[in-house]
Each structure stands twice: as structure tokens, then as C-alpha cells.
Amino acid sequence: MSYEITRGSEVARRSVEAALHGLDLVSPQTRELIVTAWVSSLESSPYGSLDEVPWDVLNPRFRLIDHVNETTRIGLELAAIAERLWGKKADIETLASILILHDVDKPLLIEREGNKARYAQLASEIPHGVVGGMMLKELGFPHKVVSTVTVHSPRMPFPGRSLEAYILFYADMFSCDNSMLDAGLKPFYFGLELSE
């Protein structure tokens, strides 16, 4: 499976816009690019809507859209705390883009099998984050957005080094742990060994 950049139908675009939290924090141009990225991922995947995509094979009941929106909300709260307590201000346009797009490649990497999910062939060829980064680079997103999405997975050999990358990491892991606990599994916090 690969992807194709597409604007998609207005129905598909409205559906994605309605599902994603935080689009009101970015410019209209960035909003259009974010929606195009998600529509492109969905239309290149076996899924008809964001509601159908599982977050991961570890807990296929937990929907990707819930994880993305939860990560976005947590990340925005962390940004406010970093500014208030540390005097460090994240660029909200950049941060919101990163949070909303961090898992844009998941519809291409995970296939649903009834109540279960498995990794698609593409997931064994290209690591999570890299396909998303490729899409975002092709769409013209700024380097910080592309690089942060590309290396955000804890499986990557090195993490991003910006404030926005730190915020994404902690927000993402907090939401992931929520999903793991929901499934009765050991959270990442306790060092879960992952295998694909």
C-alpha cells in the first residue's frame, strides 16, 4: 500500500474537518493542508472514515481519531503549562499542526480484521512516522512539522529536539498509556516491549 496526495471530495473534507480538534488554531492555508493530508491518507487506505481507523494493533477498540484529538488537547495544555511555569512559548501554529498530524500515516499502516487489527505490509517496509513525514514534505509543510512527525515514534533512533517535539512526545505517550490501560495492558510508562 502506498499513498496518493488528493484533495478528495467536499464530503470527505467536511468529515475530516468535523472530526479533528484544533483546526481553529491554525491559519486557513495550514488548515487546508492538514485536511488534505488526512483525506489523502484515508483515501489511500482501506478505511472510509477516521471513525473506522484503530489507534494501534495493541488496542483496536481505541479509535485513532480519539487518540489524535486527545493528544492534541493534552499537548495544548502542556504548551500552556510550559509557558506559564517555564516561560517557554511554543509556536501554536507549528505545535497544533504537529499534534493533529503526528499519526497521519496510521490509516496506511494498520489493517482491521473484524475486532482485531494487524500491521499492513507498508509497516514492515517503512517505520511509523516516516510515511507521514513524506506526505507532509510533499504537501509543503515547514521543516519542523515534517521532521517532528517523522521521528516522533519512540522506536526511532533519535527524537526531535524542539519544545514542540517534547510536548508531542509527552502528550502522545500519555494518550497511548490511556489506551493501554483501557485494554488491560501494561502502559508504555512501565517499559512495554513492542514487536511488529
Side-chain angles (χ1 to χ4, degrees):
M1 179 185 309
S2 62
Y3 68 87
E4 181 179 327
I5 300 296
T6 179
R7 181 169 169 74
S9 70
E10 287 308 312
V11 171
R13 295 183 74 77
R14 282 194 302 274
S15 175
V16 165
E17 285 181 325
L20 292 171
H21 177 76
L23 289 175
D24 59 320
L25 300 173
V26 298
S27 70
Q29 297 83 3
T30 300
R31 180 185 181 112
E32 285 294 308
L33 288 175
I34 289 171
V35 171
T36 299
W38 276 107
V39 168
S40 296
S41 183
L42 277 172
E43 294 204 0
S44 299
S45 80
Y47 303 103
S49 76
L50 281 172
D51 292 336
E52 299 171 20
V53 186
W55 160 72
D56 198 86
V57 300
L58 299 168
N59 183 358
R61 288 187 333 233
F62 196 66
R63 299 179 318 164
L64 177 62
I65 189 59
D66 295 330
H67 167 70
V68 168
N69 286 336
E70 189 171 83
T71 300
T72 300
R73 286 182 173 96
I74 293 165
L76 294 170
E77 290 290 329
L78 287 174
I81 292 168
E83 184 174 3
R84 188 173 65 249
L85 296 181
W86 305 338
K88 301 205 181 286
K89 184 168 176 56
D91 179 86
I92 294 302
E93 173 99 0
T94 300
L95 178 62
S97 297
I98 288 167
L99 293 167
I100 296 167
L101 290 164
H102 79 281
D103 278 351
V104 70
D105 61 4
K106 286 255 180 129
L108 303 168
L109 302 176
I110 299 171
E111 297 172 341
R112 188 175 282 288
E113 292 180 332
N115 292 334
K116 296 184 178 185
R118 65 182 172 96
Y119 291 109
Q121 177 65 34
L122 185 60
S124 67
E125 299 169 353
I126 304 175
H128 167 50
V130 174
V131 177
M134 291 165 52
M135 291 176 70
L136 301 182
K137 175 78 172 167
E138 193 172 331
L139 283 163
F141 279 90
H143 175 75
K144 189 185 278 187
V145 174
V146 172
S147 64
T148 303
V149 169
T150 301
V151 301
H152 84 276
S153 171
R155 292 186 179 123
M156 295 304 279
F158 56 89
R161 304 223 181 266
S162 67
L163 176 61
E164 292 83 4
Y166 302 155
I167 290 170
L168 170 61
F169 177 80
Y170 289 111
D172 190 21
M173 291 299 97
F174 196 65
S175 178
C176 288
D177 281 353
N178 175 36
S179 175
M180 299 300 284
L181 291 168
D182 175 70
L185 300 170
K186 185 167 74 169
F188 290 104
Y189 176 79
F190 291 110
L192 176 67
E193 295 280 329
L194 299 176
S195 61
E196 291 188 72

